Amino acid sequence: FGLIEGSPETYDASKVYTMGFSQNGMFAGYAGFCFADRVAGIWQGGAGMARKGRPPTPPGKQVECTASAFDTYKNECVTQEPCANCEYWPI
């Protein structure tokens, strides 16, 4: 964002959009959510959002476990150290 905001003669910071397919679509959604004050819109294709307790669960058990719990317990993190604060992934 610094590059965009620092070059108003080239870029219009009020017209920043993200787009992506598959994993890049996940990033587009993440950027739109986390930087909603700076991103005017997003497009996702072949990507979605995981919700805790509903299939399909991403391979790294995101939304069910923290990354550190997955590193420690792998797939067993769901029963060994489930994430209490997680509801959606990737946001």
Side-chain angles (χ1 to χ4, degrees), residues 24-38:
N24 290 328
M26 294 288 218
F27 176 77
Y30 178 83
F33 182 83
C34 294
F35 301 103
D37 59 326
R38 294 179 168 182

Side-chain angles (χ1 to χ4, degrees), residues 7 9-11 17-18 50 56 60 67 88:
S7 303
E9 67 284 349
T10 305
Y11 304 109
Y17 297 85
T18 63
Y88 297 99

Side-chain angles (χ1 to χ4, degrees), residues 27-70:
F27 176 77
Y30 178 83
F33 182 83
C34 294
F35 301 103
D37 59 326
R38 294 179 168 182
V39 175
I42 69 160
W43 178 86
Q44 290 180 293
M49 185 181 319
R51 185 168 180 193
K52 188 173 185 174
R54 294 190 179 187
T57 301
K61 301 298 182 198
Q62 296 92 336
V63 83
E64 300 294 337
C65 310
T66 63
S68 60
F70 183 77

